[in-house]
Amino acid sequence: MIIKSQSRIKDQIYSHLDNYFKAPEYINSLNASLAKNGQLDIKDEGKLGKILLDEVKSHANVDYAYFANNEGGLVSSGLYKGVNRISYTEEMKQGAFKVYEADDEGNIIAFIKSIDDFDPRTRSWYQEAKIEGEAFWTEVYSGAQEPVLGISASYPLITESGEKIGVFGTDVLLSQMSNFLQNMEISDNGVVCLVDSEGLMIASSTDEEPFKYKDGSQSRLSAEESSNAIIREGYRLLVDHKTEKGPKNLRGNASIIGDNYYFDISTYSYNDKINWYLLIAAPRKDFLGDIEVLFSNFSMTFLVVILFTLILGIYISRWILKPIKSLNDRVNQVKNENWGVQIETDRNDELGQLTRSFNEMSAKIKVYLTMLNKKQEELEFLNTNLEEIVEERTKELEVLSTTDGLTNIYNRRFLIKTLERNIEECKRYGKALSIIIFDIDHFKKVNDTYGHAEGDTTLIEVSRYLDDAIRSVDVLGRYGGEEFMIILPNTGLEDTYSAAERFRREISELTIGDMGIKITISGGVAEYDGGSLIELIKRADKNLYRAKENGRNRIEK
């Protein structure tokens, strides 16, 4: 029972964290795509601030969205303590970073403060995304505007010629995660907390702030400095079981302040970019409390019935001796663990009422003990099959790490690893290899017109069609947002182009959802020519954008 409860809590937290990080990545990818297509003006700080504010308000997990360019210009929009904020450097150049309050339409209504000569290019979210040329998650850091913990996702804006002209970013404040943990039903005295790889606090179910203050300055609070003894003990166990590859997943017991606690320490990872440690601890007595109450209620009820039976035998007359004897016999049967025994009666006097009360009590005892035995069997089963349960959970995590949660096809991470493996085979055996990258034309219009639920349905239906249409050796995955990739081993450019044309034509004939949505796709095709993986993807991506520029609903090679 304890293991099951801990697993349920952990699954809830993992699922919430995964959803927590998907929205920032989606917003960054969407904004970069819109900017490339000219649908988002990155030079007009006023309009850009309104659009970013609208995106933040549409995604509960996102607190700020922003864009910085190569000249140090920055536009940032977000919500802080329920107040809309739009901040920017004038003329999209380095200078004073001014923070304003805005209404729900994104109109400036009040000046809040100014940060002199603020340069976003010095921030890790900008530098790493710019250098790597791909999506990036920062370490946990203190906010520039307010004393809060946050984490940023960033995405470089790259022109068709390969020039990196800026970076889109989103912030999520970790106070949201603390609120979630504090509202979870763990146990009366249980604790949940998240720490980073350095052992610094991220969020917890306690009221403790993840900061410490000394001489007027603020710094991150370490788990070993926490005022909560359970968190300190959990961190000690984490450190004691640390290996070269990091802490092992750990389940066990530990004594804290005289109580026996059950611990579950595990590693949470998101797309190999975020790696945290999750500690769940609760007193074993909290989990066993229901059973103890059940035993206590049973004992009290049994004693009351026995006492009542003895008193009744002393004061009632002989003419009811037989039914009393019958009642006494049944009580003895209950004492001998013949649970649920009943007495037939048609009397309406006090003895009849007593008999019916006994029958009701006997039935309840049988139900209670049946439940108790079942819980005991569950506990024994779980303890016996712990390795099997862990193995099953590991397999589930492997599926989740390679599969897109919405469309149930492969995710970007799996696509990249598969493409790396296929390129190695091409180099070794001289085999052909091609890829198709395509996205859904005007997908934002689908969401705006029919709603995000129908947009999700569109992505799912396109994924199902493609999964049925490709060959068994081909690999299909969601590359990002409304963008898909198909890897075609042992296939040259012309055959790949023909397949892509067929996909494009048949998708344009689909009727999607209850609203009969019609869509088209644009795609780019590229064949491996001995270069790097990135070069192959860039050529396909470049052909995709050429298809967009040439009117959409077409394939370019």
Side-chain angles (χ1 to χ4, degrees), residues 65-124:
Y66 39 87
F67 172 75
N69 61 23
N70 293 343
E71 296 179 345
L74 174 64
V75 175
S76 173
S77 298
L79 288 170
Y80 182 73
K81 294 183 178 179
V83 177
N84 299 328
R85 288 191 172 187
I86 294 181
S87 314
Y88 55 81
T89 58
E90 294 181 352
E91 299 181 356
M92 291 302 291
K93 294 182 180 179
Q94 180 183 353
F97 184 52
K98 298 182 178 180
V99 183
Y100 298 92
E101 180 181 349
D103 61 20
D104 288 339
E105 303 300 323
N107 300 308
I108 302 300
I109 58 176
F111 174 76
I112 298 177
K113 63 182 178 180
S114 178
I115 302 175
D116 294 335
D117 200 28
F118 180 77
D119 190 349
R121 295 171 295 183
T122 63
R123 309 292 283 189
S124 63

Side-chain angles (χ1 to χ4, degrees), residues 313-324:
I314 295 173
Y315 289 102
I316 60 177
S317 62
R318 291 181 61 86
W319 72 271
I320 57 171
L321 184 60
K322 184 176 180 180
I324 290 178

Side-chain angles (χ1 to χ4, degrees), residues 44-281:
D44 188 333
E45 63 268 26
K47 291 182 179 179
L48 184 57
K50 290 182 178 181
I51 293 173
L52 294 177
L53 180 62
D54 186 60
E55 290 177 340
V56 171
K57 293 173 66 178
S58 299
H59 296 80
N61 291 342
V62 176
D63 294 284
Y64 285 92
Y66 39 87
F67 172 75
N69 61 23
N70 293 343
E71 296 179 345
L74 174 64
V75 175
S76 173
S77 298
L79 288 170
Y80 182 73
K81 294 183 178 179
V83 177
N84 299 328
R85 288 191 172 187
I86 294 181
S87 314
Y88 55 81
T89 58
E90 294 181 352
E91 299 181 356
M92 291 302 291
K93 294 182 180 179
Q94 180 183 353
F97 184 52
K98 298 182 178 180
V99 183
Y100 298 92
E101 180 181 349
D103 61 20
D104 288 339
E105 303 300 323
N107 300 308
I108 302 300
I109 58 176
F111 174 76
I112 298 177
K113 63 182 178 180
S114 178
I115 302 175
D116 294 335
D117 200 28
F118 180 77
D119 190 349
R121 295 171 295 183
T122 63
R123 309 292 283 189
S124 63
W125 61 265
Y126 182 93
Q127 292 179 343
E128 295 295 335
K130 189 79 179 295
I131 293 172
E132 298 295 333
E134 60 182 23
F136 175 75
W137 278 96
T138 67
E139 297 291 334
V140 176
Y141 65 88
S142 297
Q145 298 186 35
E146 302 292 345
V148 292
L149 288 185
I151 186 170
S152 298
S154 54
Y155 194 95
L157 178 57
I158 305 174
T159 65
E160 293 185 4
S161 62
E163 181 184 3
K164 303 169 186 174
I165 61 175
V167 175
F168 282 99
T170 52
D171 282 353
V172 289
L173 301 184
L174 298 182
S175 57
Q176 290 194 45
M177 184 51 59
S178 288
N179 292 337
F180 171 75
L181 295 180
Q182 290 166 11
N183 290 324
M184 286 194 69
E185 294 184 1
I186 306 166
S187 73
D188 292 341
N189 302 287
V191 172
V192 177
C193 74
L194 284 162
V195 299
D196 64 18
S197 58
E198 301 298 323
L200 300 177
M201 296 287 290
I202 293 172
S204 75
S205 60
T206 71
D207 294 332
E208 184 176 37
E209 292 286 348
F211 294 106
K212 62 180 178 180
Y213 298 90
K214 184 177 181 180
D215 300 329
S217 63
Q218 169 189 282
S219 61
R220 298 277 303 282
L221 177 69
S222 169
E224 63 183 348
E225 299 173 317
S226 172
S227 61
N228 188 286
I230 302 172
I231 294 177
R232 294 197 304 270
E233 178 65 17
Y235 181 71
R236 184 189 66 76
L237 291 174
L238 181 83
V239 173
D240 289 347
H241 290 78
K242 199 169 187 179
T243 66
E244 293 181 358
K245 296 181 179 179
K248 297 179 180 178
N249 289 349
L250 174 66
R251 285 189 176 129
N253 298 298
S255 179
I256 302 177
I257 320 177
D259 283 335
N260 189 15
Y261 276 76
Y262 183 82
F263 277 90
D264 187 314
I265 301 174
S266 60
T267 303
Y268 170 77
S269 179
Y270 179 76
N271 289 345
D272 291 335
K273 297 179 182 294
I274 296 174
N275 294 286
W276 293 344
Y277 303 121
L278 173 66
L279 162 67
I280 304 173

